[in-house]
Amino acid sequence: MARQSISITEPNDKWLKAQVDSQEYSSKSELVNDLIRQARNQQRQIDWVRAKLEKAEKSGFTDATKEQILAQSKSDLNG
């Protein structure tokens, strides 16, 4: 595992410490890695939505209702 040295503002450090103190996480490193995983997952979802929007813009109009589009998008997201 790669080791990094980072600087964190005091408010952020206090928040990290509070999360560890509450035993939600065993260490600040575990918490930071979890936050990064969450951010990466969120970015994948954003990229997926962006790709869908770009594809839709290029393909033209649809006859599907907004409810049908939403249902299909949820189905695609959930696998």
Side-chain angles (χ1 to χ4, degrees), residues 24-71:
E24 183 74 23
Y25 295 91
S26 62
S27 68
K28 289 179 184 178
S29 292
E30 180 185 354
L31 173 54
V32 169
N33 275 307
D34 188 44
L35 292 170
I36 292 169
R37 277 190 294 277
Q38 289 177 38
R40 291 172 60 198
N41 186 46
Q42 184 179 36
Q43 187 61 54
R44 277 192 295 274
Q45 291 175 353
I46 290 168
D47 292 344
W48 181 86
V49 169
R50 183 173 288 125
K52 287 289 193 177
L53 289 171
E54 289 174 0
K55 182 179 176 183
E57 287 175 348
K58 291 177 183 175
S59 69
F61 293 101
T62 180
D63 292 328
T65 67
K66 64 181 177 182
E67 290 80 12
Q68 291 169 324
I69 294 169
L70 180 60

Side-chain angles (χ1 to χ4, degrees), residues 6-17 28:
I6 60 172
S7 298
I8 299 175
T9 64
E10 187 173 336
N12 288 341
D13 186 52
K14 286 181 181 179
W15 183 83
L16 288 170
K17 185 176 182 326
K28 289 179 184 178

